[in-house]
Amino acid sequence: MISPVHDIATLLQRPAQQALPAGLRRTLAEAASVAGSGEGMPDAVGVLADTLDTLSALGADAEVILAATLHGLPALQPALVAAAGKSMPGLADLLEGQVAAAQVWALHAEQSRGLNTEGLRRLLLAIVRDLRVVTILLARQLARMRAAAALPDEQRLTLARLTRDIHAPLANRLGIWQLKWELEDLAFRYLQPQVYKQIATQLDEKRLGRERYIGAVLDALRTALADHGIAADVSGRPKHIYSIWRKMQRKQVGFDELYDLRAVRIAVDDVAACYAALGVVHALWVPIPSEFDDYIARPKANDYRSLHTAVVGPEGRTLEVQIRTHEMHAQAELGVAAHWKYKEGKAGGDAFDRKIAWMRRLLEGAADGAGGDGTLAGELDAELVEDRVYALTPKGEVVDLPQGGTVLDFAYHVHTMVGHRTRGAKVNGRIVPLNHVLRSGDRVEILTSKEPEPRRDWLLQANGFLASGRSRDKVRAWFHKLDRARNLQAGRDLLEKELKRLGLHHADLTGVARKFHADSIEELYIQVALGDVGPHQVGRALHEEQRAAAEPDAVSLPVLRPPRRVAKPGKSKFTVQGVGNLLVQLARCCQPVPGEPIAGYLTRVRGVTVHRTDCAAFARLAATSPQRVLPVEWGQAGGGYEVDVQVTALDRKWLLKDIITLIAQEEANVLDINSQGNRASGRVHLRLRLKVADFGQLSTLLGKLDALPGVEDARRSG
């Protein structure tokens, strides 16, 4: 029950506050004396006191205790946050997480009949940076439920529904049984008072007889275990009304037919003793085979470990027996919270981080029950877990997306036809582009047209419209249904556009088609149209093919000395075979980029000039003086490579700003820019000199430039 605490001064004397450093306790007391006595809010102070007592019992650290205190007494926050300083680096996240959780409570209140509660639990997890916040939320909700009898009916029912839908399942997943059972019982008490009272009455009516029976069982067990040299603590196990009701519903049996109304627990020193004690129990009484569970060999998904068995005990009555080690018992009572108190000690660091990572995976489990076939070891084997984003529909329903999910992904996750008909979107009331990346908690409204008209450029990864493979599959499926002629033409257009941008539009696609397992160039076009092959992939394959073809036969190379790498002032590096001690520079006419096939030409005064092998100027020079052609290979790139890009677009406000911002986001550098407008057509032609890292970055950048609003063409020049 709520502790009799009605003022801040008494609150600060609670045992939980002893977890705080002495200096912080003094600062807290001084700030409290300035803030006042707490008169006018005795209920809030009482709930906070109970919350702190629960956290203390769970072994919460000083940061958690202080964060819970300051959330309950916000007037004290400025002084205490400043005083905590660097000694409590996690305090800000703990406070922020408690405030952010209010979003989930508000969404739950909006929903009717507790719909999509799993999504809300996941949203809570996503918006809380420090997962210790979950324990604070559970402890505070338990304190509120203990005091709920004094609330108005509607407010009490709302609190109970929130507990049933959010808090009790989270406590269950975390394995914090101390909180789970009481949260469930209190919610059940207020949501189904008649059923609760009926079961409570039946338990109370038979309490004396059950206690006498359990006493005799405990005596018999202690004697048998001692005879076999097994040191054990044997006790009766308390029963919880909600779990009794759930079992009655699940097994469709009456109150008197339940096996575990009479239950005992045996705690021993190690795992071997667990199985030895099991043998003693089964030798003492006849076991019921269907009621045996080994959660030591196969732990539950939340790391619960114990042996469960049911036997026909004295007087022919069924009896449930749980057997576990003392360590397992502590884990069962505290759950994951048992590990948090070691954060500052030797068990911290990587081990603690792995435990928290496991906890996150556990919370993201789809089932509410604590059971399941998954083991803790299996959870920890999955080292990489894809982060999720939890966005909201206008009605507050939660949509689960992969990290990087866009508004278009959101539309396809709501419904396939919603995605096909998408033409725009609003996020938090603001119009955004379809490739806008969502964050957890964003509220999304999809704007649709009457007819479904998905676009093929949604499938181009460089455009960033879709992050989810599931969404891309839905778009592909739409285009698969179109006739071959339309797919053929669409694929040809997409590929030609990409190759033109990269200056590869005269290349032969026959060899590349075979690389993508296409029987012909037409089949390659269809693969591109359906999104099975990206245009940028074809471009990269063409570069590799040309580079391989341009490499001279190793036998025919003049080997005068080992290859020497010579750097130009821009820090680009090349390997010039057979020649050393020469200046090497990129040709201005074609400006090759790492990854492209290249060749060198030995000039009279400027050293070796490096050209693309398909450069027209290089072809003329090679035809005139073939003896000056040198094999050149790319070495390690340093500061980047210069390339000219031309952009044609409809002239509009902020066009240049959008282009420069995109280039900066792609981590390329603008070295020079020139623009030429045409008033008659309303178009502008831009010529940019950029510095890029390699061919892959150039391809991605051109694709994103081409996708900007108003841009008609973006390609490499030269």
Side-chain angles (χ1 to χ4, degrees), residues 81-114:
V81 171
K86 296 182 180 179
S87 64
M88 292 189 174
L91 183 60
D93 284 344
L94 290 171
L95 291 171
E96 180 184 328
Q98 294 176 80
V99 174
Q103 300 175 38
V104 178
W105 314 154
L107 288 169
H108 182 271
E110 290 179 16
Q111 296 183 2
S112 60
R113 300 181 182 178

Side-chain angles (χ1 to χ4, degrees), residues 182-193:
E182 193 171 356
L183 286 168
E184 287 180 341
D185 274 7
L186 288 170
F188 185 53
R189 173 184 177 184
Y190 296 129
L191 293 174
Q192 298 193 51

Side-chain angles (χ1 to χ4, degrees), residues 624-635:
T624 304
S625 305
Q627 71 278 8
R628 291 181 176 274
V629 176
L630 297 173
V632 180
E633 296 177 353
W634 290 107

Side-chain angles (χ1 to χ4, degrees), residues 450-697:
K450 291 184 178 180
E451 298 298 327
E453 294 181 38
R455 290 163 31 192
R456 293 184 189 272
D457 62 346
W458 291 355
L459 292 170
L460 301 183
Q461 190 170 2
N463 292 344
F465 285 112
L466 297 170
S468 166
R470 169 184 166 188
S471 301
R472 282 193 292 271
D473 288 343
K474 291 181 177 182
V475 179
R476 288 192 188 101
W478 169 269
F479 290 114
H480 267 288
K481 296 176 183 178
L482 300 180
D483 60 89
R484 178 182 174 85
R486 289 174 63 186
N487 281 325
L488 183 63
Q489 185 59 45
R492 180 184 287 109
D493 293 343
L494 283 170
L495 189 52
E496 287 182 353
K497 183 177 181 180
E498 173 72 7
L499 297 184
K500 202 170 187 180
R501 281 205 305 251
L502 297 171
L504 297 171
H505 49 292
H506 297 304
D508 183 5
L509 296 175
T510 305
V512 173
R514 288 194 296 269
K515 181 175 181 178
F516 291 103
H517 308 290
D519 296 332
S520 64
I521 296 177
E522 288 188 349
E523 289 298 328
L524 179 62
Y525 288 150
I526 291 175
Q527 287 185 21
V528 172
L530 297 177
D532 298 328
V533 175
H536 65 286
Q537 292 177 279
V538 178
R540 185 178 293 278
L542 277 172
H543 274 286
E544 292 174 355
E545 184 181 77
Q546 290 184 359
R547 183 167 57 181
E551 289 180 356
D553 191 339
V555 177
S556 64
L557 288 176
V559 182
L560 302 180
R561 65 190 67 182
R564 178 184 179 92
R565 298 185 185 274
V566 185
K568 59 164 279 188
K571 298 183 181 179
S572 300
K573 295 181 180 180
F574 309 91
T575 299
V576 182
Q577 296 188 5
V579 180
N581 201 26
L582 283 176
L583 174 67
V584 180
Q585 60 185 343
L586 290 170
R588 305 277 299 182
C589 52
C590 59
Q591 296 175 331
V593 175
E596 296 182 312
I598 53 175
Y601 183 81
L602 181 61
T603 67
R604 295 182 185 276
V605 295
R606 296 195 306 272
V608 177
T609 304
V610 178
H611 296 258
R612 288 158 54 186
T613 55
D614 61 351
C615 173
F618 173 73
R620 290 193 299 270
L621 292 171
T624 304
S625 305
Q627 71 278 8
R628 291 181 176 274
V629 176
L630 297 173
V632 180
E633 296 177 353
W634 290 107
Q636 296 295 321
Y641 299 86
E642 296 180 14
V643 60
D644 286 334
V645 170
Q646 61 184 31
V647 177
T648 303
L650 294 173
D651 200 0
R652 63 171 175 82
K653 188 177 182 180
W654 308 124
L655 172 66
L656 186 58
K657 173 180 175 292
D658 290 346
I659 290 175
I660 298 301
T661 299
L662 174 61
I663 293 171
Q665 289 173 344
E666 293 302 308
E667 299 182 355
N669 295 324
V670 179
L671 303 179
D672 189 25
I673 184 168
N674 291 288
S675 65
Q676 183 177 0
N678 187 324
R679 292 185 178 181
S681 65
R683 288 174 172 79
V684 63
H685 301 280
L686 302 172
R687 185 178 181 88
L688 304 100
R689 174 158 294 165
L690 307 178
K691 180 176 282 189
V692 297
D694 53 27
F695 167 77
Q697 186 184 30

Side-chain angles (χ1 to χ4, degrees), residues 71-391:
H71 182 83
L73 303 172
L76 308 186
Q77 283 193 23
L80 267 297
V81 171
K86 296 182 180 179
S87 64
M88 292 189 174
L91 183 60
D93 284 344
L94 290 171
L95 291 171
E96 180 184 328
Q98 294 176 80
V99 174
Q103 300 175 38
V104 178
W105 314 154
L107 288 169
H108 182 271
E110 290 179 16
Q111 296 183 2
S112 60
R113 300 181 182 178
L115 298 177
N116 199 21
T117 55
E118 175 62 25
L120 290 178
R121 290 193 288 273
R122 292 186 175 200
L123 175 61
L124 174 64
L125 175 67
I127 64 178
V128 170
R129 294 181 183 179
D130 190 327
L131 293 173
R132 292 177 294 168
V133 171
V134 178
T135 307
I136 300 176
L137 300 176
L138 294 177
R140 182 179 296 121
Q141 191 73 1
L142 178 57
R144 288 173 174 166
M145 288 298 294
R146 288 170 175 171
L151 297 176
D153 291 346
E154 186 56 37
Q155 192 174 346
R156 183 170 60 246
L157 289 174
T158 299
L159 191 67
R161 281 191 289 266
L162 181 64
T163 303
R164 176 198 62 194
D165 295 339
I166 306 295
H167 296 83
L170 285 180
N172 182 45
R173 297 248 187 104
L174 296 176
I176 308 178
W177 307 115
Q178 280 189 17
L179 308 190
K180 164 187 154 57
W181 298 122
E182 193 171 356
L183 286 168
E184 287 180 341
D185 274 7
L186 288 170
F188 185 53
R189 173 184 177 184
Y190 296 129
L191 293 174
Q192 298 193 51
Q194 296 301 322
V195 180
Y196 179 92
K197 184 176 180 180
Q198 180 182 0
I199 296 176
T201 300
Q202 288 177 299
L203 281 172
D204 191 59
E205 287 175 350
K206 302 183 178 182
R207 179 173 55 85
L208 293 177
R210 190 166 56 251
E211 288 177 353
R212 284 195 297 269
Y213 181 84
I214 291 298
V217 167
L218 296 180
D219 290 340
L221 270 176
R222 291 187 183 106
T223 300
L225 291 169
D227 289 345
H228 287 80
I230 300 173
D233 293 332
V234 185
S235 60
R237 187 168 67 86
K239 298 310 302 172
H240 300 277
I241 294 176
Y242 180 72
S243 66
I244 292 174
W245 177 78
R246 283 285 299 272
K247 190 162 290 189
M248 289 169 61
Q249 298 297 309
R250 187 170 63 251
K251 296 191 174 185
Q252 294 295 303
V253 297
F255 181 84
D256 290 328
E257 298 176 74
L258 294 178
Y259 290 143
D260 61 351
L261 289 176
R262 294 167 291 273
V264 296
R265 179 178 293 135
I266 301 173
V268 294
D269 294 331
D270 52 39
V271 172
C274 288
Y275 290 98
L278 178 66
V280 171
V281 172
H282 284 179
L284 193 59
W285 299 299
V286 177
I288 302 173
S290 62
E291 295 298 317
F292 174 71
D293 291 296
D294 187 346
Y295 295 122
I296 294 179
R298 296 181 301 278
K300 291 186 178 183
N302 53 14
D303 199 24
Y304 174 83
R305 293 172 296 161
S306 184
L307 296 176
H308 289 197
T309 188
V311 297
V312 180
E315 303 175 19
R317 298 181 182 181
T318 56
L319 174 70
E320 184 189 67
V321 182
Q322 292 182 353
I323 307 170
R324 60 180 66 151
T325 66
H326 297 291
E327 179 187 358
M328 293 174 190
H329 180 64
Q331 173 70 22
E333 291 298 301
L334 298 179
V336 174
H339 301 271
W340 288 338
K341 59 185 175 183
Y342 300 120
K343 185 177 183 182
E344 305 299 332
K346 294 181 180 179
D350 293 340
F352 177 76
D353 292 339
R354 285 195 298 272
K355 180 60 67 174
I356 292 299
W358 165 78
M359 173 183 162
R360 183 178 291 277
R361 292 197 290 273
L362 182 62
L363 280 167
E364 289 178 345
D368 284 344
D373 296 327
T375 65
L376 176 62
E379 293 285 346
L380 291 175
D381 284 342
E383 288 295 331
L384 298 178
V385 176
E386 184 181 22
D387 287 335
R388 309 298 293 178
V389 172
Y390 303 98

